[in-house]
Coordinates of all heavy atoms in Angstrom, one line a residue:
E1 N -82.3 -83.4 -204.0 CA -82.2 -81.9 -204.0 C -82.5 -81.5 -202.5 O -83.4 -81.9 -201.9 CB -83.3 -81.4 -204.9 CG -83.4 -79.9 -204.8 CD -84.4 -79.3 -205.8 OE1 -85.5 -79.8 -206.0 OE2 -84.0 -78.4 -206.5
D2 N -81.6 -80.6 -202.1 CA -81.7 -80.0 -200.7 C -81.3 -78.6 -200.8 O -80.5 -78.1 -201.6 CB -80.7 -80.7 -199.8 CG -81.1 -82.2 -199.5 OD1 -82.3 -82.4 -199.0 OD2 -80.3 -83.1 -199.8
W3 N -81.9 -77.8 -199.8 CA -81.6 -76.4 -199.6 C -81.2 -76.2 -198.1 O -81.8 -76.8 -197.2 CB -82.9 -75.5 -199.8 CG -83.2 -75.4 -201.3 CD1 -84.0 -76.2 -202.0 CD2 -82.8 -74.4 -202.2 NE1 -84.1 -75.8 -203.3 CE2 -83.4 -74.6 -203.4 CE3 -82.0 -73.2 -202.0 CZ2 -83.2 -73.8 -204.5 CZ3 -81.8 -72.4 -203.1 CH2 -82.4 -72.7 -204.3
Y4 N -80.2 -75.4 -197.9 CA -79.7 -75.1 -196.6 C -79.6 -73.6 -196.4 O -79.1 -72.9 -197.3 CB -78.3 -75.7 -196.4 CG -78.2 -77.2 -196.5 CD1 -78.0 -77.8 -197.8 CD2 -78.4 -78.0 -195.4 CE1 -77.9 -79.2 -197.9 CE2 -78.4 -79.4 -195.6 CZ -78.2 -80.0 -196.8 OH -78.1 -81.3 -196.9
A5 N -80.2 -73.1 -195.3 CA -80.1 -71.7 -195.0 C -79.1 -71.5 -193.9 O -79.0 -72.2 -193.0 CB -81.5 -71.2 -194.5
M6 N -78.2 -70.4 -194.2 CA -77.1 -70.1 -193.2 C -77.1 -68.6 -193.0 O -77.0 -67.9 -193.9 CB -75.8 -70.6 -193.8 CG -75.8 -72.2 -193.9 SD -74.6 -72.7 -195.1 CE -75.6 -72.5 -196.6
E7 N -77.0 -68.3 -191.7 CA -76.8 -66.9 -191.4 C -75.3 -66.6 -191.3 O -74.6 -67.4 -190.7 CB -77.5 -66.5 -190.0 CG -79.0 -66.4 -190.1 CD -79.6 -65.8 -188.9 OE1 -78.9 -65.6 -187.9 OE2 -80.8 -65.5 -188.9
V8 N -74.9 -65.5 -191.9 CA -73.5 -65.1 -191.9 C -73.3 -63.7 -191.4 O -74.0 -62.8 -191.9 CB -72.9 -65.3 -193.4 CG1 -71.4 -64.9 -193.4 CG2 -73.1 -66.7 -193.9
Q9 N -72.4 -63.6 -190.4 CA -72.2 -62.2 -189.8 C -71.5 -61.4 -190.8 O -70.8 -61.8 -191.7 CB -71.3 -62.4 -188.6 CG -71.9 -63.2 -187.5 CD -73.1 -62.5 -186.9 OE1 -73.1 -61.3 -186.7 NE2 -74.1 -63.3 -186.6
D10 N -71.6 -60.0 -190.7 CA -70.9 -59.1 -191.5 C -69.4 -59.3 -191.4 O -68.9 -59.5 -190.3 CB -71.3 -57.7 -191.1 CG -70.5 -56.7 -192.0 OD1 -70.6 -56.8 -193.3 OD2 -69.9 -55.7 -191.5
G11 N -68.7 -59.4 -192.5 CA -67.3 -59.6 -192.6 C -66.8 -61.0 -192.6 O -65.7 -61.3 -192.8
A12 N -67.8 -61.9 -192.3 CA -67.5 -63.4 -192.2 C -67.6 -64.0 -193.6 O -68.3 -63.5 -194.5 CB -68.4 -64.1 -191.3
T13 N -66.9 -65.1 -193.8 CA -66.9 -65.8 -195.1 C -67.6 -67.1 -194.9 O -67.3 -67.9 -194.0 CB -65.5 -66.0 -195.7 OG1 -64.9 -64.8 -195.9 CG2 -65.5 -66.8 -197.0
L14 N -68.5 -67.4 -195.8 CA -69.2 -68.7 -195.8 C -68.4 -69.6 -196.8 O -68.3 -69.2 -198.0 CB -70.7 -68.5 -196.3 CG -71.5 -69.8 -196.3 CD1 -73.0 -69.4 -196.2 CD2 -71.3 -70.6 -197.6
D15 N -67.9 -70.7 -196.4 CA -67.3 -71.7 -197.2 C -68.1 -73.0 -197.1 O -68.3 -73.5 -196.0 CB -65.8 -72.0 -196.7 CG -64.9 -70.8 -196.9 OD1 -64.9 -70.3 -198.1 OD2 -64.2 -70.4 -195.9
A16 N -68.5 -73.5 -198.2 CA -69.3 -74.8 -198.2 C -68.6 -75.8 -199.2 O -68.2 -75.4 -200.3 CB -70.7 -74.5 -198.7
S17 N -68.5 -77.0 -198.7 CA -67.9 -78.1 -199.5 C -68.8 -79.3 -199.4 O -69.2 -79.7 -198.3 CB -66.5 -78.4 -199.0 OG -65.9 -79.4 -199.7
V18 N -69.1 -79.9 -200.6 CA -69.9 -81.1 -200.6 C -69.0 -82.2 -201.3 O -68.6 -82.1 -202.4 CB -71.2 -80.9 -201.4 CG1 -72.0 -82.2 -201.5 CG2 -72.0 -79.8 -200.7
S19 N -68.8 -83.3 -200.5 CA -68.1 -84.4 -201.1 C -69.0 -85.6 -201.4 O -70.0 -85.7 -200.8 CB -67.1 -84.9 -200.0 OG -66.2 -83.9 -199.7
F20 N -68.7 -86.3 -202.5 CA -69.5 -87.4 -202.9 C -68.7 -88.4 -203.7 O -67.6 -88.1 -204.2 CB -70.7 -86.9 -203.7 CG -70.3 -86.1 -205.0 CD1 -70.2 -86.7 -206.2 CD2 -70.0 -84.7 -204.9 CE1 -69.8 -86.0 -207.3 CE2 -69.6 -84.0 -206.0 CZ -69.5 -84.7 -207.2
D21 N -69.3 -89.6 -203.9 CA -68.7 -90.6 -204.7 C -69.1 -90.5 -206.1 O -70.3 -90.6 -206.4 CB -69.1 -92.0 -204.1 CG -68.4 -93.2 -204.8 OD1 -67.8 -93.0 -205.9 OD2 -68.4 -94.3 -204.3
T22 N -68.1 -90.1 -207.0 CA -68.5 -89.8 -208.4 C -69.0 -91.1 -209.1 O -69.7 -90.9 -210.1 CB -67.3 -89.3 -209.1 OG1 -66.2 -90.3 -209.0 CG2 -66.8 -88.0 -208.6
A23 N -68.8 -92.3 -208.6 CA -69.4 -93.5 -209.2 C -70.9 -93.5 -209.0 O -71.6 -94.2 -209.8 CB -68.7 -94.7 -208.6
D24 N -71.4 -92.8 -208.0 CA -72.8 -92.7 -207.8 C -73.6 -91.6 -208.6 O -74.8 -91.6 -208.6 CB -73.1 -92.5 -206.3 CG -72.7 -93.8 -205.5 OD1 -72.8 -94.9 -206.0 OD2 -72.4 -93.6 -204.3
G25 N -72.8 -90.7 -209.1 CA -73.5 -89.6 -209.9 C -72.7 -88.3 -209.6 O -71.6 -88.3 -209.1
D26 N -73.3 -87.2 -210.0 CA -72.7 -85.9 -210.0 C -73.6 -85.0 -209.1 O -74.8 -84.8 -209.4 CB -72.5 -85.4 -211.4 CG -71.9 -84.0 -211.4 OD1 -71.1 -83.7 -210.4 OD2 -72.1 -83.3 -212.4
I27 N -73.0 -84.3 -208.1 CA -73.7 -83.4 -207.3 C -73.1 -82.0 -207.6 O -71.9 -81.8 -207.7 CB -73.5 -83.7 -205.8 CG1 -74.2 -85.0 -205.5 CG2 -74.0 -82.5 -204.9 CD1 -74.0 -85.4 -204.0
D28 N -74.0 -81.0 -207.8 CA -73.6 -79.6 -208.0 C -74.2 -78.8 -206.9 O -75.2 -79.2 -206.3 CB -74.0 -79.1 -209.4 CG -73.3 -79.8 -210.5 OD1 -72.2 -80.3 -210.3 OD2 -73.7 -79.8 -211.7
I29 N -73.6 -77.6 -206.7 CA -74.1 -76.7 -205.7 C -74.1 -75.2 -206.2 O -73.3 -74.9 -207.0 CB -73.3 -76.8 -204.4 CG1 -71.8 -76.4 -204.6 CG2 -73.4 -78.1 -203.7 CD1 -71.0 -76.5 -203.3
K30 N -75.1 -74.5 -205.7 CA -75.2 -73.1 -206.0 C -75.5 -72.3 -204.7 O -76.2 -72.8 -203.8 CB -76.3 -72.8 -207.0 CG -76.0 -73.3 -208.4 CD -77.1 -73.0 -209.4 CE -76.7 -73.6 -210.7 NZ -77.8 -73.3 -211.7
L31 N -75.0 -71.1 -204.6 CA -75.2 -70.3 -203.4 C -76.0 -69.0 -203.8 O -75.6 -68.4 -204.8 CB -73.8 -69.9 -202.8 CG -73.9 -69.1 -201.5 CD1 -74.5 -69.9 -200.4 CD2 -72.5 -68.6 -201.1
Y32 N -77.0 -68.7 -203.0 CA -77.9 -67.6 -203.3 C -78.1 -66.7 -202.1 O -78.0 -67.1 -201.0 CB -79.3 -68.1 -203.7 CG -79.4 -68.9 -205.0 CD1 -79.3 -70.3 -204.9 CD2 -79.6 -68.3 -206.2 CE1 -79.3 -71.0 -206.1 CE2 -79.7 -69.0 -207.4 CZ -79.6 -70.4 -207.3 OH -79.6 -71.1 -208.5
D33 N -78.4 -65.4 -202.4 CA -78.8 -64.5 -201.3 C -80.3 -64.6 -201.1 O -81.0 -65.3 -201.8 CB -78.2 -63.1 -201.6 CG -78.9 -62.4 -202.7 OD1 -79.9 -62.9 -203.3 OD2 -78.4 -61.3 -203.1
A34 N -80.8 -63.8 -200.2 CA -82.2 -63.8 -199.9 C -83.1 -63.2 -201.0 O -84.3 -63.5 -201.0 CB -82.4 -62.9 -198.6
Q35 N -82.5 -62.6 -202.0 CA -83.2 -62.1 -203.1 C -83.1 -63.0 -204.3 O -83.5 -62.7 -205.4 CB -82.7 -60.7 -203.5 CG -83.1 -59.6 -202.6 CD -82.3 -59.6 -201.3 OE1 -81.1 -59.9 -201.3 NE2 -82.9 -59.4 -200.2
S36 N -82.6 -64.2 -204.1 CA -82.5 -65.3 -205.1 C -81.4 -64.9 -206.2 O -81.4 -65.5 -207.3 CB -83.8 -65.6 -205.8 OG -84.7 -66.1 -204.9
V37 N -80.5 -64.1 -205.8 CA -79.3 -63.8 -206.7 C -78.3 -64.8 -206.5 O -77.9 -65.0 -205.3 CB -78.8 -62.3 -206.4 CG1 -77.5 -62.1 -207.2 CG2 -79.8 -61.3 -206.7
Q38 N -77.8 -65.4 -207.6 CA -76.8 -66.5 -207.4 C -75.5 -65.8 -207.2 O -75.0 -64.9 -207.9 CB -76.7 -67.3 -208.7 CG -75.7 -68.4 -208.6 CD -75.7 -69.3 -209.9 OE1 -76.7 -69.7 -210.4 NE2 -74.5 -69.5 -210.3
L39 N -74.8 -66.2 -206.1 CA -73.5 -65.6 -205.7 C -72.3 -66.4 -206.1 O -71.2 -65.8 -206.3 CB -73.5 -65.4 -204.2 CG -74.7 -64.6 -203.6 CD1 -74.7 -64.6 -202.1 CD2 -74.7 -63.2 -204.1
D40 N -72.5 -67.7 -206.1 CA -71.3 -68.6 -206.5 C -71.9 -70.0 -206.9 O -73.1 -70.3 -206.5 CB -70.4 -68.8 -205.3 CG -69.0 -69.3 -205.7 OD1 -68.8 -69.5 -206.9 OD2 -68.2 -69.6 -204.8
S41 N -71.2 -70.7 -207.6 CA -71.6 -72.1 -208.0 C -70.4 -73.0 -208.2 O -69.3 -72.5 -208.5 CB -72.5 -72.0 -209.2 OG -71.8 -71.6 -210.3
S42 N -70.7 -74.3 -208.2 CA -69.7 -75.2 -208.5 C -70.4 -76.4 -209.3 O -71.3 -77.0 -208.7 CB -69.0 -75.8 -207.2 OG -68.0 -76.7 -207.6
G43 N -69.9 -76.6 -210.5 CA -70.6 -77.6 -211.3 C -69.6 -78.5 -212.0 O -69.8 -78.9 -213.1
M44 N -68.6 -78.9 -211.3 CA -67.6 -79.8 -211.8 C -68.1 -81.2 -211.8 O -69.2 -81.5 -211.2 CB -66.3 -79.7 -210.9 CG -65.7 -78.3 -210.8 SD -65.3 -77.6 -212.4 CE -63.9 -78.6 -212.8
V45 N -67.4 -82.1 -212.4 CA -67.9 -83.5 -212.4 C -67.1 -84.3 -211.4 O -67.3 -85.5 -211.2 CB -67.6 -84.2 -213.8 CG1 -68.3 -85.5 -213.9 CG2 -68.1 -83.2 -214.9
S46 N -66.3 -83.6 -210.6 CA -65.4 -84.3 -209.6 C -65.9 -83.8 -208.2 O -66.6 -82.8 -208.0 CB -64.0 -84.0 -209.8 OG -63.7 -82.6 -209.8
S47 N -65.4 -84.6 -207.2 CA -65.7 -84.2 -205.8 C -64.4 -83.7 -205.2 O -63.3 -84.1 -205.5 CB -66.1 -85.5 -205.1 OG -66.3 -85.3 -203.7
P48 N -64.5 -82.7 -204.3 CA -65.7 -82.1 -203.8 C -66.1 -80.9 -204.7 O -65.4 -80.3 -205.4 CB -65.3 -81.6 -202.4 CG -63.8 -81.2 -202.6 CD -63.3 -82.3 -203.6
E49 N -67.4 -80.5 -204.5 CA -67.9 -79.2 -205.0 C -67.7 -78.2 -203.9 O -68.0 -78.4 -202.7 CB -69.4 -79.3 -205.4 CG -69.7 -80.4 -206.4 CD -69.3 -80.0 -207.8 OE1 -68.7 -78.9 -208.0 OE2 -69.5 -80.8 -208.8
E50 N -67.3 -77.0 -204.2 CA -67.0 -75.9 -203.2 C -67.4 -74.6 -203.7 O -67.3 -74.2 -204.9 CB -65.5 -75.9 -202.9 CG -65.0 -77.2 -202.3 CD -63.5 -77.2 -202.1 OE1 -62.7 -76.6 -202.9 OE2 -63.1 -77.9 -201.1
V51 N -68.0 -73.8 -202.7 CA -68.4 -72.4 -203.0 C -67.9 -71.6 -201.8 O -67.7 -72.1 -200.7 CB -69.9 -72.2 -203.2 CG1 -70.3 -72.8 -204.5 CG2 -70.7 -72.7 -202.1
S52 N -67.7 -70.3 -202.0 CA -67.3 -69.4 -201.0 C -67.9 -68.0 -201.2 O -68.0 -67.6 -202.4 CB -65.8 -69.3 -201.0 OG -65.3 -68.5 -199.9
Y53 N -68.2 -67.3 -200.2 CA -68.7 -65.9 -200.3 C -68.5 -65.2 -199.0 O -68.8 -65.7 -197.9 CB -70.2 -65.9 -200.7 CG -70.7 -64.6 -201.0 CD1 -70.5 -64.0 -202.2 CD2 -71.4 -63.8 -200.1 CE1 -70.9 -62.7 -202.6 CE2 -71.9 -62.5 -200.4 CZ -71.6 -62.0 -201.6 OH -72.1 -60.7 -201.9
T54 N -68.0 -63.9 -199.1 CA -67.8 -63.1 -198.0 C -68.9 -62.0 -197.9 O -69.2 -61.4 -198.9 CB -66.4 -62.3 -198.1 OG1 -65.4 -63.3 -198.1 CG2 -66.2 -61.5 -196.8
N55 N -69.5 -62.0 -196.7 CA -70.6 -61.0 -196.4 C -70.0 -59.7 -196.1 O -69.5 -59.5 -195.0 CB -71.5 -61.5 -195.3 CG -72.6 -60.5 -194.9 OD1 -72.8 -59.6 -195.7 ND2 -73.2 -60.7 -193.8
N56 N -70.1 -58.7 -197.0 CA -69.6 -57.4 -196.8 C -70.8 -56.4 -196.8 O -70.6 -55.2 -197.2 CB -68.6 -57.0 -197.9 CG -67.3 -57.7 -197.7 OD1 -66.8 -57.9 -196.5 ND2 -66.8 -58.2 -198.7
S57 N -72.0 -56.8 -196.4 CA -73.2 -56.0 -196.5 C -73.4 -55.0 -195.4 O -74.2 -54.1 -195.5 CB -74.4 -57.0 -196.5 OG -74.6 -57.5 -195.2
G58 N -72.6 -55.2 -194.3 CA -72.8 -54.3 -193.1 C -73.8 -54.9 -192.1 O -73.9 -54.2 -191.0
S59 N -74.4 -56.0 -192.4 CA -75.2 -56.7 -191.4 C -75.3 -58.2 -191.6 O -74.8 -58.7 -192.6 CB -76.7 -56.1 -191.5 OG -77.2 -56.4 -192.8
V60 N -75.9 -58.9 -190.6 CA -76.1 -60.3 -190.8 C -77.0 -60.6 -192.0 O -78.0 -59.9 -192.1 CB -76.7 -60.9 -189.5 CG1 -77.0 -62.4 -189.6 CG2 -75.8 -60.7 -188.3
Q61 N -76.6 -61.6 -192.8 CA -77.4 -62.0 -193.9 C -77.6 -63.5 -193.9 O -76.8 -64.2 -193.4 CB -76.6 -61.6 -195.2 CG -76.4 -60.1 -195.4 CD -77.6 -59.3 -195.6 OE1 -78.5 -59.7 -196.4 NE2 -77.8 -58.2 -194.9
T62 N -78.7 -63.9 -194.5 CA -79.0 -65.3 -194.7 C -78.7 -65.6 -196.2 O -79.2 -65.0 -197.1 CB -80.5 -65.6 -194.4 OG1 -80.8 -65.2 -193.0 CG2 -80.8 -67.1 -194.6
Y63 N -78.0 -66.7 -196.3 CA -77.6 -67.2 -197.6 C -78.2 -68.7 -197.7 O -78.3 -69.4 -196.8 CB -76.1 -67.2 -197.8 CG -75.6 -65.8 -197.8 CD1 -74.9 -65.3 -196.7 CD2 -75.8 -64.9 -198.8 CE1 -74.4 -64.0 -196.7 CE2 -75.4 -63.6 -198.8 CZ -74.6 -63.2 -197.7 OH -74.2 -61.9 -197.7
Y64 N -78.4 -69.1 -199.0 CA -79.0 -70.4 -199.3 C -78.2 -71.2 -200.2 O -77.8 -70.8 -201.3 CB -80.4 -70.1 -199.9 CG -81.3 -69.3 -199.0 CD1 -81.3 -68.0 -199.0 CD2 -82.1 -70.0 -198.0 CE1 -82.1 -67.2 -198.2 CE2 -82.9 -69.2 -197.2 CZ -82.9 -67.9 -197.3 OH -83.7 -67.1 -196.4
L65 N -77.9 -72.4 -199.7 CA -77.1 -73.4 -200.5 C -78.0 -74.4 -201.1 O -78.7 -75.1 -200.4 CB -76.0 -74.1 -199.6 CG -75.1 -75.0 -200.4 CD1 -74.1 -74.2 -201.3 CD2 -74.3 -75.8 -199.4
H66 N -78.0 -74.5 -202.5 CA -78.8 -75.5 -203.2 C -77.9 -76.6 -203.6 O -76.9 -76.4 -204.3 CB -79.4 -74.8 -204.4 CG -80.3 -75.7 -205.2 ND1 -80.6 -75.4 -206.5 CD2 -81.0 -76.8 -204.8 CE1 -81.4 -76.4 -206.9 NE2 -81.7 -77.2 -206.0
V67 N -78.2 -77.8 -203.1 CA -77.4 -79.0 -203.4 C -78.3 -79.9 -204.2 O -79.4 -80.3 -203.8 CB -76.9 -79.7 -202.1 CG1 -76.1 -81.0 -202.4 CG2 -76.1 -78.8 -201.2
Y68 N -77.8 -80.3 -205.4 CA -78.7 -81.1 -206.3 C -77.9 -82.1 -207.1 O -76.7 -81.9 -207.4 CB -79.5 -80.2 -207.1 CG -78.7 -79.3 -208.0 CD1 -78.5 -79.6 -209.4 CD2 -78.2 -78.1 -207.6 CE1 -77.7 -78.8 -210.2 CE2 -77.5 -77.2 -208.4 CZ -77.3 -77.6 -209.7 OH -76.5 -76.8 -210.5
Y69 N -78.5 -83.2 -207.5 CA -77.9 -84.2 -208.4 C -78.1 -83.7 -209.8 O -79.1 -83.3 -210.3 CB -78.7 -85.5 -208.2 CG -78.6 -86.1 -206.8 CD1 -79.8 -86.2 -206.1 CD2 -77.4 -86.4 -206.3 CE1 -79.7 -86.7 -204.8 CE2 -77.3 -86.8 -205.0 CZ -78.5 -87.0 -204.2 OH -78.4 -87.4 -203.0
W70 N -77.0 -83.7 -210.5 CA -77.0 -83.2 -211.9 C -77.2 -84.2 -212.9 O -77.9 -84.0 -213.9 CB -75.6 -82.5 -212.2 CG -75.5 -82.0 -213.6 CD1 -74.7 -82.4 -214.5 CD2 -76.3 -80.9 -214.1 NE1 -74.9 -81.7 -215.7 CE2 -75.9 -80.8 -215.5 CE3 -77.3 -80.1 -213.7 CZ2 -76.4 -79.9 -216.3 CZ3 -77.9 -79.2 -214.6 CH2 -77.5 -79.1 -215.9
S71 N -76.7 -85.4 -212.8 CA -76.8 -86.4 -213.9 C -76.9 -87.8 -213.5 O -77.7 -88.1 -212.6 CB -75.6 -86.2 -214.9 OG -74.4 -86.5 -214.2
F72 N -76.2 -88.7 -214.0 CA -76.3 -90.1 -214.0 C -76.3 -90.7 -212.5 O -75.7 -90.1 -211.6 CB -75.1 -90.8 -214.7 CG -73.8 -90.4 -214.2 CD1 -73.1 -91.2 -213.3 CD2 -73.2 -89.3 -214.7 CE1 -71.9 -90.8 -212.8 CE2 -71.9 -88.9 -214.2 CZ -71.3 -89.7 -213.3
G73 N -76.9 -91.9 -212.4 CA -76.8 -92.7 -211.2 C -77.7 -92.2 -210.1 O -78.3 -91.2 -210.1
T74 N -77.7 -93.0 -209.0 CA -78.5 -92.7 -207.8 C -77.5 -92.7 -206.6 O -77.2 -93.8 -206.2 CB -79.6 -93.7 -207.6 OG1 -80.4 -93.7 -208.8 CG2 -80.5 -93.3 -206.4
P75 N -77.1 -91.6 -206.1 CA -76.1 -91.6 -205.0 C -76.7 -92.3 -203.8 O -77.9 -92.3 -203.5 CB -75.9 -90.1 -204.7 CG -76.2 -89.4 -206.0 CD -77.3 -90.2 -206.6
S76 N -75.8 -93.0 -203.1 CA -76.2 -93.7 -201.9 C -76.5 -92.7 -200.8 O -76.2 -91.6 -200.8 CB -75.1 -94.7 -201.4 OG -74.0 -93.9 -201.1
Q77 N -77.2 -93.2 -199.7 CA -77.6 -92.4 -198.6 C -76.3 -91.7 -198.0 O -76.4 -90.6 -197.5 CB -78.3 -93.3 -197.5 CG -79.6 -93.8 -197.9 CD -80.7 -92.8 -197.8 OE1 -80.6 -91.9 -197.0 NE2 -81.7 -92.9 -198.6
S78 N -75.2 -92.4 -197.9 CA -74.0 -91.9 -197.3 C -73.1 -91.3 -198.3 O -71.9 -91.0 -198.0 CB -73.3 -93.0 -196.5 OG -72.9 -94.0 -197.3
G79 N -73.5 -91.1 -199.6 CA -72.6 -90.7 -200.7 C -72.2 -89.2 -200.7 O -71.3 -88.9 -201.3
S80 N -72.9 -88.4 -199.9 CA -72.5 -87.0 -199.9 C -72.4 -86.5 -198.5 O -73.1 -87.0 -197.6 CB -73.6 -86.1 -200.7 OG -74.8 -86.2 -200.0
R81 N -71.6 -85.5 -198.3 CA -71.3 -84.9 -197.0 C -71.1 -83.4 -197.1 O -70.3 -83.0 -197.8 CB -70.1 -85.6 -196.4 CG -69.8 -85.4 -195.0 CD -68.7 -86.3 -194.5 NE -67.7 -86.6 -195.5 CZ -66.6 -86.0 -195.7 NH1 -66.2 -85.0 -195.0 NH2 -65.7 -86.4 -196.7
L82 N -72.0 -82.7 -196.3 CA -71.9 -81.2 -196.3 C -71.0 -80.8 -195.2 O -71.2 -81.2 -194.0 CB -73.3 -80.6 -196.2 CG -73.3 -79.1 -196.1 CD1 -72.9 -78.5 -197.4 CD2 -74.7 -78.6 -195.8
R83 N -70.0 -79.9 -195.5 CA -69.1 -79.4 -194.4 C -69.3 -77.9 -194.3 O -69.4 -77.2 -195.3 CB -67.7 -79.7 -194.7 CG -67.3 -81.1 -194.6 CD -65.8 -81.3 -194.7 NE -65.4 -80.5 -195.8 CZ -64.1 -80.5 -196.2 NH1 -63.2 -81.2 -195.6 NH2 -63.8 -79.8 -197.3

């Protein structure tokens, strides 16, 4: 389980993609704002998992990406990659 904080300028789009080997397990991702409101999620059983969100708030905002193992197996150290 990992959390990533990202600052996004007004009008910019945050695109996150996590790739992994499905033979090692299933990784899912969720995107939250600073008030813990879920903005997007990806819970497929295939790779990659992807979320996207455009900041139209009028100011720079911090968003949080939650990356976690959902089910079977133990992914290897090099099994996932955040872009």
Side-chain angles (χ1 to χ4, degrees):
E1 174 176 46
D2 292 302
W3 286 88
Y4 300 90
M6 294 156 278
E7 285 191 351
V8 179
Q9 299 294 319
D10 180 49
T13 299
L14 183 156
D15 292 308
S17 176
V18 177
S19 299
F20 59 96
D21 185 343
T22 57
D24 290 333
D26 180 24
I27 293 176
D28 289 340
I29 59 177
K30 292 182 179 181
L31 184 65
Y32 294 91
D33 68 11
Q35 290 74 40
S36 300
V37 173
Q38 183 178 314
L39 304 172
D40 197 4
S41 66
S42 182
M44 304 300 291
V45 192
S46 58
S47 177
E49 300 285 1
E50 298 176 326
V51 293
S52 181
Y53 188 78
T54 300
N55 175 13
N56 291 317
S57 69
S59 63
V60 175
Q61 298 292 313
T62 301
Y63 297 107
Y64 300 88
L65 184 68
H66 184 202
V67 180
Y68 59 97
Y69 301 115
W70 176 248
S71 60
F72 60 93
T74 304
S76 64
Q77 293 281 335
S78 61
S80 63
R81 191 168 30 95
L82 178 66
R83 291 189 310 184

